[in-house]
Structure formats: structure tokens, C-alpha cells
Amino acid sequence: MSSDHGKTLSTAEHGDEPAFPLPAHRHRLTDTSPRAARRAERQVAGMFVLSALLIVAFIAAYVAIPTSTFVNLGVIGIVQLSNLILGATFGLSILLIGIGAIQWAKKLMSDEEVTDERHPLGSPQEDRDEALAAFQMGVTESGFVERKIVRRTLIGALALFPVPLIVLLKDMGPLPGDSLRNTIWRKGSRIVIDVTGQPVKPQDMGVGTLISASPEDLNTIQEEQGNQNERAKASIILVRMAPDEIRSQQSPKGATWDYQGILAFSKICTHVGCPIALYQKATHHLLCPCHQSTFDLADSGNVVFGPANRRMPQLPITVDSEGYLVAQGDFQEPVGPSFWERG
Amino acid sequence: MSITVKAAGAGVTYVDQRAPISSLLKANLRKIFPDHWSFMLGEIALYSFLILLLTGVYLTIWFKPSMTDVIYNGSFAPLDGIPMSEAYASALNISFDVRGGLLIRQIHHWAALFFMAAMMVHMFRIFFTGAFRKPRELNWVIGGSMILIGILEGFAGYSLPDDLLSGVGVRIVAGIVEGIPVIGTYLMFFIFGGQFPGSDFIPRLYTFHVLLVPGILLAMIGIHLVLVFYHKHTQYPGAGRTNTNVVGFPLFPVYTAKAGGFFFVVFGVTTLIAAFVTINPIWAYGPYVPDQVTAGSQPDWYIGFLDGALRAFPNWESVIWGHTISWNVFLPSAVMPGLLVTVLIIYPFIEAWVTGDKREHHLLDRPRNAPTRTAIGVMAISFYGVLVINGANDIIAQAFNVSFNQLTWFTRIGVFVIPPLMFIATRRFCLGLQRRDRDLLLHGRESGQILRLPHGEFIEIHTPISDEQKAVILSKIDVPVMALPVATDANGVATPKLRAKRRRARWSRAYFGDNVARPTAQELEEAAHHAHEAHAHEVHAHGAGELADAGKDH
Ligand code: HEM
Ligand code: FES
């Protein structure tokens, strides 16, 4: 051991020599009484036997109990019977092996504490010197230092080696383009009720009602594309208020975006994108269940509380020749969470 | 020689001639491991990980990581005929049509929760006892990184079944990624293979969850354990224990039986809990549809602090030169956790710089003996705690009938005020304990008995403390406070790097300035002498029968 190592471990002002010796070992009952030892032995063996029996019970339960039965365990709730019995038998069986082994260690194996010395970590100085010398020799033999051209070109080549690996990631996805700015709402798109797919007439909606809705052609498009991308952007809610309750709207001067007090807003929270549907009739507040951003639908969908910064985009609506609610066009601003290019 | 030993010997010989394991066994079979309940926390994390590997492999047998639409017609009647992704349908299939499948899912999920919890509490133990000091800094770095990776892995697993609850979680993450300045939308489109939700995410997440991350974790855990073995475990101070020895039980058989047995205990308890308490009943949430949401949705607990931060952050957003920066999303969900983890990971190096300490430490600190560190730890935990609580603000608002507004302001203020208060209180408390320790050493324990001396003075009898207790208290290391450097030395030469040295001296004072010094050898001796005298009085007084009870006399 080199002297400088000895130091790193032992320059502590104290604590190298124990100030007090290890307390004398106290014998357990199982050390002194053969009868107690035999009892402990029987206990441990008993646990192992029980563990094995529970495996048999597990197999019986596996064969006998269907997965469709549920039982009510009161406070714990409703659980699947098969899950309960399989888990209880298997779990207890495993647990008994564990407790048995620990009991064996505690009661029957030696419990006399043993002291070992620590040795300084790290290699001795000679080894470090030799390692350095060996490395030096390798460097010299390779000519890594003298042959500058080889070294530099190698570093250059290695630096470029990961480039293809990164380039290959390019096709992980298309570029965003303007896809975050558009939805499938078009001039004249019929508004249909989400669950039933029924188009809506103004007279279907009493004051104070809220409907989750989507464009009529959503399902066809979803089927064509094989994903739910358009649904994730185009979902809206329809609310009806008494026209005098509406304090402001997002429509520019001269335009009417509501239809006789029926307003359409994006359903996608402008914070980080949860769909929203908790509506308080009395206050016209819309509450996001994710982080509690609250929007006032009677006041242009503005934020009244919470971490969202932007109002809920309003969809301009009207009725078509058959009297069904339709969109006047797409949203005038991107729906959903903010993003760098949004502006 | 018993048959067992003979058979083992033959086996070892066979292997040894092909791979020399005898030397390895010789060196390690009787390696000593110290024993303490808090050393089991890391074991729980390790065993939970093994349980995750085992049950995870079973889940892969039936799980189908696909977002293709299918119509469900399995045996869970309420969802019969409903369109859903193949991933969700297969998770339902595991739950209702594979016997014991639900049990595997439940064990997997519970083990994930225990894995994260055990890692975190294990980290607290390491922090408060100073076990991260030299030579164990690397293991601290690995451990801290594993907590971060564990959070990602847990989130990935939780999202795989593609139920309504986890889908909303994925939607939130997509929104967070989208909000990252400059690269956000590109990153999101690359991750999702286009717009949210697309049809690539679940299959990609699957490889991430079952191959990439478990592989990384396995490698890290391997290094972590090899280092523990190589460093030899730290130990708590006590009689017979020093910085240069290790007192405990040999690896074989005692530690093998205890640690091996403990694996079965962890596995058994996890399985029993999985049997009785249903977790993540995905069938109750329904399939993910991007325009639906469940109210009161909660992420797994280890995500809670992020959710809490996201909920409490003020709604700041700016538009600069036509570009939107969502501070309200980016700061709480990316910058805050990034900073938290960075500070956590580099803490050992910060402390080593302040102490200027280059020694190896194998004897654990008592938290009170490192008051500033302990206070920093409690401060960090309380910061984290406030955010976790805010992550459940909807539940709390309902349970205690307070408004979101009140709760949010409580968090916004609390997150800055509570941690410093906790810091101050903890530090004081530790210093108080140090003073008490010093008194115990010098004057012994108050016996509660008052003694009247012959000349009328009252004294309380102090009984000396046990050697074991003395050994524990005397383990305290007095770190000297660095002196403030002078600008120029006696010869008028300017001190090099003066500002850096000054800064370090100030940190050193802040860390250690208030520490209560360990009694010197001389003080201890005097105290022993004193105690001896008092004892003589006591004997004398007993004779005079003037012993009175403290309670009555005060
Ligand atoms: C640290 C490691 C791991 C953590 C924290 C973790 C966590 C999770 C969680 C929370 C779930 C959701 C379970 C649920 O349905 O309620 C899950 C699902 C899943 N995990 Fe893991 N896991 C880990 C490792 C693994 C490994 C190593 C594999 C496979 C080799 C795996 C395979 C799966 C599969 C296939 C699922 C989806 C099946 C289902 O949820 O029904 N996991 N994981
Ligand atoms: S997603 Fe609506 S408040 Fe966060």
C-alpha cells in the first residue's frame, strides 16, 4: 500500500481506532437451548410446507375460477375473483418462502457480527505508474502524436460517423407545415352531435344546454386516414345562452358568429390540449378538468382562471337552407396548445 | 465433508477449469455487509425492478402495441361492440380472457409504484447520511439519473394500454412538447409520426418501454451494484465501527438468506396487494378518444409534481417577433424538473467543493451533524411536496371545500415560502440536537433526581451515557470553517484567485459556521473527572437520605 493512499483513508481526526470496542456478543435462546432451536427449525420448515401447499391451491384456482366473476370487498372495492384467489395463494406462498428464509437466518444462523478491514480504494501507485507507462508506450508506437494528418483525418471521419444515424431519423415524421393551423371545418360543414351523429337544429337546443359536436364528415375522414388526428382538432362544444347574456364574441365588427345565442367553441384546451366539457350554466364558465383553466364563454371564451393563456377559439356558425347548424368556415386561429410558429 | 459441500465442490471445479470462479468466490463469499433497516430501501427498488422485468415479459406475450381500430368482442360485456385501438383491446384481453393476466398487470403496476417510491426514499437515506460523499459520487449520479429514467419508463408503461385516462396524459405530454420553444412542433411531429395522436405512437412507445429503457436501467443497476460491492457498504457509527472497518454479517450464508428472503417478501407483498387492491381498472375508463376526458383524472404519483407545477404556474405567454413562447408550459414542465434533477445530480460535487474534503467516507453522518445539508434536503422535499399536493388540487378542493383560486395561491406562495422556512427550522433543530449531544457527552443524562448537598446547594444527578451512545455521538466530524483569505499577505503579495477563495470561505462559513464543536479529549477527561466527584457526593447524600424527586422539587 502506498503511503499517500493510507492517508486518504485515515487522515480523519478520529474514527480509525474504535474508541469503544464492539459490544460482546449476546447469545440467543436458540443458541443455548436445543429445544428452542428445534422449535425454530420446525417453524421455518412449516412455512416452506405451507408455501408448497399454496401452490397446489393456486393451480386448483387457475383451473376452477372463471375470469368473469367479480366480488365486492367493501371498502377495498370490487375485484375480479380469479385475480383475488390467484394473487392471494401465489402471493402468500412467495411471502412464506421469504419469511421462512429470513427467520432461518435470524434464529438459526450465526448472528455474531464480524469485522473486516477496509482497504484503500483505487490501485496502488506502482500500478497507476505502470498503466500510464503502458499507455505512453502505446501512444508512441501508434505515432498518434507525431502523425498529425492521420490523427486529424481520423477525428474528422469519426465526427461525421453519427451524421447518417441522425439523418435517418428525419423520416420519423412529416414536418408540421400548416397542419396545426387548419381543421376540417369548411363553409357549410354540418355540425353533428358527437355520440349520435345527428345534425342539430337550433330548436333542438334549449337555453343552458351544452352539446359536444363535430363536423359531419369526420367519421369518413377518420376512416380514410386511419387515425384520429382530425378529431383531436375539430371537436367543438355548442352552448346556447339567452342572447342578452352574451357580453362579447370573437367575431369582427359587422360579422355574426353565433346563431340566435348558440355559440360554438373549440373543445381543445389552449393550455396543453385536454378536451373540455365541464360547463357551469349559471356563470357560463367552462372548466378544464386537467389543470382547471376556466374560460368565460359569455365573454369571448376568455381565460378567467388557471394556467391557460389564450381564449378558446370560437367557430363561426349559422344555419343552412334546411335549417341545420353549419360552420361558416374554419376557425380563424389555431386550436389547442400554443407552439413556437403560432405567432 | 457433507454431501452438499462435495457436490458444490465438484460443480465449482468443473466451472473453475473453464472460468476461474474460485478466486472470485474466495474473495467474496464471506464479504461483510452491515445490517440496518434503511439499507433495505435500495433492495426494495432492486427487487421491484426484477419483478417488473419478470411480469413485463409475461405482458409482452399477449399485449399488442398497435393503434389500429378494432371492434371489441371479448368477454367484458359493457364494452362489447365498441371500436377501440388494438392495444386497448389486448390489454382488456389480458385482464379478462387470460387467466391470471389481470394479476400480472396488477403486479406490474404496483411494482412500478413501489420501484419509484423505494428509489426515492432510498435516495433520501443516501442524502441525509452523506453516503454520497467520496468515493460514492458516481453511484449518486447513477441513482439520480435512474429516478429520472424511471419516471419516463413508468409514464411510457402507463400510456401503453391506450385507455381514456392514459391517452389524456399522452395528449398533455404532446402539448408540452409542442410548447418547447424553437423545436417544439418538429419534435412533436417526429415523436408522433405526424399530428397527434397519429398511429405510430404506441408501437414506438412499446419498444422504448420494453427494450430501450429496461436495457439502460439494467446496465445502470449493474454498475450501481458492482460499485456498492467494490466500495463495501457504508455503515452507521457505533461501538467497534470506524471509517476503516466494516462490521456486519458475511454474504454467505446470513446476508444471502436475509437478502434473498427479502426478495420473496417484496414479491409476495406486491402480489398480495395486487390480489386485493385493483389498480388502474382500464375497463372502467373506456378506450381513448381525443375528444373525451374523464373528470378528476390523476397521473401515477411520481408524475404528480409535474402536474402540480403545471397547474400552479401563472398563465404567462409572450409573442416575440411572431414567435410564441409558452412560459406557462415550458417553465414548469421542462425547465423546473430539468433544474431540479441537475442540482440533485451535482450536489455531491457542490458539497465537496465547499468542504474542500478529499477523504474517503465510509462511516455515515448523522443528519444532525450536517445541519446545512439536512436542511437543504428537507427544503427540497418540501418544495417537491408542495407541488405534489397541488397536483391533487381538484381532489383537495372537493374534500376540504376550498376554491381552486385559494389553493393555487397557496401553492404559488407556499412553494417559495415553505421551503426556506423548513430550511431554517431544520437547521436550528439539528444544531439543538448537536448541543444536546455535547451535553450528554460532558454531563451525562439527566436522571431526574435532585440532590441536596450538605452545604444546602441543589444539584441534579447525571448518569453517564453508555459506551455505545458515546461512540455514536463521537462519530461527529468537525469540518473546519475556511478562513477568509487576506487580500495581500505579509509580504504585500496579492493572494491569487482571491475572489474564488473568498466565495468558498463564505460558503464554508454558511455550511459549518454554527456547528457545535465536539468536546476535545481534555474536556471529556475533565467531564469524566467531574462525574466521578458527583458520584462521590451522591453516595454521600444517599447516606444522609436527602434524595428528592425532581418533579416535586421543581
Ligand atoms: C422500470 C421498469 C418498468 C416500469 C416502471 C414499468 C411500468 C409500467 C406500467 C405502470 C404499466 C401500465 C400497467 C397497467 O396496465 O396498469 C406498464 C405496462 C406494460 N409494461 Fe412495463 N414497466 C417496466 C418494465 C417493463 C419491462 C421490462 C417490460 C417487458 C419486457 C414491460 C412490459 C410492459 C407491457 C407489455 C405493458 C402493457 C401491458 C398492459 O399494460 O396491460 N415493462 N409498465
Ligand atoms: S389542459 Fe386545460 S388546463 Fe391544462
Side-chain angles (χ1 to χ4, degrees):
Chain A
M1 191 208 299
S2 75
S3 59
D4 108 313
H5 260 103
K7 258 194 220 138
T8 45
L9 199 58
S10 63
T11 41
E13 314 92 275
H14 61 90
D16 297 342
E17 278 308 310
F20 302 92
L22 201 61
H25 176 242
R26 277 212 220 113
H27 286 296
R28 295 162 296 188
L29 189 58
T30 43
D31 292 328
T32 51
S33 147
R35 273 189 58 197
R38 263 198 308 280
R39 196 175 329 119
E41 200 177 344
R42 272 198 306 275
Q43 261 177 11
V44 172
M47 290 186 209
F48 292 157
V49 169
L50 195 54
S51 169
L53 290 178
L54 281 163
I55 295 294
V56 178
F58 174 92
I59 291 169
Y62 183 85
V63 175
I65 304 178
T67 50
S68 51
T69 320
F70 280 77
V71 288
N72 193 338
L73 290 187
V75 271
I76 299 178
I78 297 175
V79 297
Q80 193 190 42
L81 184 63
S82 145
N83 180 69
L84 179 69
I85 304 297
L86 293 181
T89 49
F90 188 38
L92 200 57
S93 165
I94 306 171
L95 185 62
L96 283 168
I97 296 179
I99 297 176
I102 292 174
Q103 195 70 350
W104 181 2
K106 284 198 160 167
K107 288 259 169 85
L108 296 168
M109 294 181 188
S110 160
D111 76 333
E112 201 155 354
E113 283 189 312
V114 184
T115 304
D116 242 7
E117 290 309 306
R118 287 181 193 275
H119 304 290
L121 294 169
S123 344
Q125 189 61 44
E126 301 93 275
D127 285 11
R128 277 189 283 169
D129 292 343
E130 276 175 36
L132 204 63
F135 181 69
Q136 178 63 50
M137 192 178 292
V139 169
T140 314
E141 284 177 4
S142 70
F144 192 75
V145 178
E146 291 84 52
R147 300 190 198 284
K148 279 193 193 138
I149 301 185
V150 182
R151 185 176 77 230
R152 287 182 186 164
T153 48
L154 172 67
I155 292 172
L158 283 180
L160 290 182
F161 154 71
V163 170
L165 299 180
I166 294 166
V167 170
L168 283 176
L169 295 179
K170 166 65 189 64
D171 279 350
M172 277 180 76
L175 298 184
D178 59 359
S179 58
L180 290 172
R181 296 180 180 276
N182 309 321
T183 73
I184 53 171
W185 287 106
R186 295 282 163 272
K187 186 172 162 56
S189 300
R190 269 205 187 146
I191 298 171
V192 299
I193 300 176
D194 221 15
V195 260
T196 60
Q198 295 295 316
V200 194
K201 283 194 169 160
Q203 54 268 37
D204 300 339
M205 291 187 71
V207 168
T209 43
L210 173 135
I211 294 176
S212 279
S214 49
E216 191 175 33
D217 48 356
L218 180 63
N219 284 338
T220 346
I221 292 179
Q222 184 167 321
E223 213 135 284
E224 268 167 27
Q225 298 187 341
N227 58 45
Q228 310 204 59
N229 296 358
E230 294 307 332
R231 182 180 295 278
K233 291 188 297 184
S235 295
I236 57 163
I237 45 171
L238 286 176
V239 280
R240 182 160 207 171
M241 303 175 198
D244 60 347
E245 287 176 315
I246 303 175
R247 276 172 288 140
S248 73
Q249 289 190 54
Q250 296 177 14
S251 43
K253 269 216 173 69
T256 317
W257 281 11
D258 70 319
Y259 185 80
Q260 295 174 355
I262 300 177
L263 301 162
F265 286 94
S266 163
K267 196 181 177 182
I268 312 301
C269 186
T270 60
H271 180 224
V272 283
C274 282
I276 311 187
L278 293 174
Y279 179 61
Q280 283 175 317
K281 247 190 280 185
T283 55
H284 308 300
H285 284 178
L286 189 68
L287 173 79
C288 179
C290 288
H291 315 105
Q292 289 88 39
S293 287
T294 310
F295 305 85
D296 187 350
L297 299 188
D299 182 19
S300 301
N302 284 333
V303 180
V304 290
F305 176 76
N309 177 276
R310 287 179 298 102
R311 61 188 188 184
M312 287 301 248
Q314 187 179 350
L315 183 76
I317 57 169
T318 180
V319 289
D320 63 10
S321 54
E322 290 170 56
Y324 288 110
L325 289 172
V326 294
Q328 291 181 26
D330 199 357
F331 288 99
Q332 302 290 302
E333 54 188 288
V335 301
S338 290
F339 50 97
W340 175 251
E341 297 87 348
R342 184 178 187 281
Chain B
M1 228 187 247
S2 72
I3 294 181
T4 318
V5 175
K6 265 193 201 144
V12 168
T13 306
Y14 182 88
V15 179
D16 209 32
Q17 286 163 359
R18 288 148 185 92
I21 56 163
S22 284
S23 318
L24 205 73
L25 290 177
K26 181 194 88 181
N28 291 315
L29 271 183
R30 301 291 289 180
K31 194 178 175 78
I32 300 302
F33 278 85
D35 215 9
H36 190 267
W37 66 264
S38 70
F39 299 163
M40 298 199 301
L41 294 164
E43 279 182 62
I44 299 180
L46 172 67
Y47 300 151
S48 302
F49 180 71
L50 296 181
I51 296 167
L52 283 164
L53 286 183
L54 184 73
T55 50
V57 170
Y58 273 86
L59 289 175
T60 61
I61 297 175
W62 301 285
F63 183 71
K64 297 197 182 71
S66 149
M67 293 171 91
T68 307
D69 259 341
V70 294
I71 303 290
Y72 180 72
N73 47 26
S75 59
F76 186 65
L79 291 176
D80 195 33
I82 304 259
M84 57 182 62
S85 70
E86 211 173 353
Y88 183 63
S90 73
L92 289 177
N93 181 47
I94 294 175
S95 309
F96 296 108
D97 295 288
V98 174
R99 280 176 288 176
L102 181 59
L103 183 63
I104 299 283
R105 266 195 61 229
Q106 306 249 35
I107 299 176
H108 195 73
H109 203 129
W110 276 111
L113 300 188
F114 293 150
F115 177 61
M116 294 307 301
M119 272 204 291
M120 222 171 261
V121 183
H122 172 62
M123 177 179 71
F124 295 160
R125 197 282 287 172
I126 303 289
F127 185 84
F128 288 118
T129 60
F132 55 78
R133 289 171 298 171
K134 188 183 174 186
R136 296 181 177 78
E137 305 94 326
L138 181 60
N139 250 356
W140 171 266
V141 173
I142 293 177
S145 317
M146 282 201 291
I147 290 187
L148 182 67
I149 296 175
I151 292 177
L152 295 177
E153 174 72 347
F155 180 80
Y158 180 78
S159 305
L160 280 179
D162 202 24
D163 56 283
L164 186 53
L165 197 56
S166 72
V168 170
V170 173
R171 166 73 261 204
I172 292 175
V173 168
I176 291 172
V177 174
E178 211 178 322
I180 297 174
V182 188
I183 55 167
T185 45
Y186 284 63
L187 202 57
M188 187 193 118
F189 271 62
F190 283 175
I191 293 174
F192 285 86
Q195 297 184 58
F196 174 86
S199 45
D200 291 341
F201 185 64
I202 296 281
R204 287 178 183 179
L205 196 68
Y206 183 67
T207 313
F208 181 84
H209 181 77
V210 306
L211 180 71
L212 191 61
V213 180
I216 293 172
L217 278 174
L218 202 58
M220 292 177 92
I221 291 173
I223 301 173
H224 201 75
L225 293 180
V226 166
L227 284 176
V228 169
F229 223 78
Y230 177 65
H231 292 145
K232 295 193 174 140
H233 208 292
T234 51
Q235 60 190 352
Y236 282 93
R241 286 147 169 88
T242 71
N243 199 35
T244 53
N245 74 8
V246 47
V247 181
F249 299 105
L251 175 62
F252 188 75
V254 178
Y255 196 73
T256 313
K258 279 192 181 170
F262 193 51
F263 166 73
F264 287 91
V265 169
V266 173
F267 197 176
V269 169
T270 310
T271 307
L272 283 175
I273 291 176
F276 284 94
V277 191
T278 306
I279 190 170
N280 200 16
I282 49 166
W283 56 90
Y285 309 139
Y288 179 62
V289 185
D291 57 8
Q292 284 178 24
V293 67
T294 52
S297 54
Q298 287 290 313
D300 269 357
W301 73 267
Y302 45 84
I303 314 273
F305 80 108
L306 283 176
D307 210 38
L310 209 50
R311 288 175 189 209
F313 209 83
N315 68 339
W316 301 336
E317 182 175 299
S318 14
V319 180
I320 301 171
W321 294 309
H323 290 297
T324 307
I325 305 174
S326 320
W327 305 111
N328 56 344
V329 177
F330 182 56
L331 291 182
S333 62
V335 176
M336 184 278 292
L339 275 177
L340 205 63
V341 173
T342 310
V343 172
L344 179 107
I345 285 181
I346 64 173
Y347 182 79
F349 307 101
I350 300 177
E351 194 183 298
W353 176 78
V354 175
T355 55
D357 185 359
K358 303 254 182 322
R359 286 167 301 178
E360 286 181 15
H361 293 279
H362 303 288
L363 206 55
L364 294 170
D365 265 340
R366 302 172 79 208
R368 68 185 64 178
N369 288 339
T372 307
R373 176 205 298 149
T374 304
I376 290 175
V378 173
M379 178 169 76
I381 293 175
S382 56
F383 175 80
Y384 179 87
V386 171
L387 293 182
V388 171
I389 291 172
N390 197 58
N393 66 357
D394 43 349
I395 293 174
I396 294 170
Q398 207 164 34
F400 297 99
N401 212 2
V402 283
S403 74
F404 285 130
N405 202 7
Q406 288 164 326
L407 268 177
T408 302
W409 278 105
F410 168 78
T411 304
R412 285 180 184 170
I413 297 170
V415 86
F416 291 107
V417 171
I418 293 173
L421 288 181
M422 293 300 279
F423 178 91
I424 294 168
T426 309
R427 201 159 176 283
R428 287 205 169 176
F429 183 62
C430 288
L431 291 170
L433 288 175
Q434 284 192 10
R435 246 168 260 128
R436 207 192 65 172
D437 278 352
R438 191 181 150 93
D439 283 350
L440 276 176
L441 268 185
L442 293 179
H443 310 302
R445 183 188 305 290
E446 292 172 5
S447 63
Q449 291 186 316
I450 301 292
L451 185 66
R452 197 172 136 206
L453 298 181
H455 55 272
E457 186 194 347
F458 285 97
I459 61 163
E460 183 174 4
I461 297 178
H462 284 234
T463 46
I465 55 175
S466 70
D467 284 358
E468 175 63 27
Q469 233 179 332
K470 281 186 195 158
V472 171
I473 296 178
L474 280 172
S475 70
K476 177 169 186 289
I477 299 177
D478 281 341
V479 181
V481 175
M482 237 168 266
L484 225 77
V486 283
T488 51
D489 66 12
N491 301 328
V493 181
T495 312
K497 294 192 191 154
L498 180 67
R499 290 184 59 183
K501 280 184 185 155
R502 281 226 171 115
R503 199 177 315 132
R504 190 158 151 181
R506 272 195 291 270
W507 274 97
S508 172
R509 175 161 309 277
Y511 252 79
F512 305 110
D514 296 336
N515 271 7
V516 179
R518 263 172 97 236
T520 59
Q522 195 189 353
E523 281 172 316
L524 282 172
E525 205 160 298
E526 268 169 27
H529 185 67
H530 201 74
H532 193 72
E533 261 177 20
H535 185 68
H537 279 308
E538 185 188 344
V539 174
H540 181 80
H542 261 298
E546 283 193 78
L547 205 57
D549 196 58
K552 287 178 206 152
D553 256 82
H554 270 290

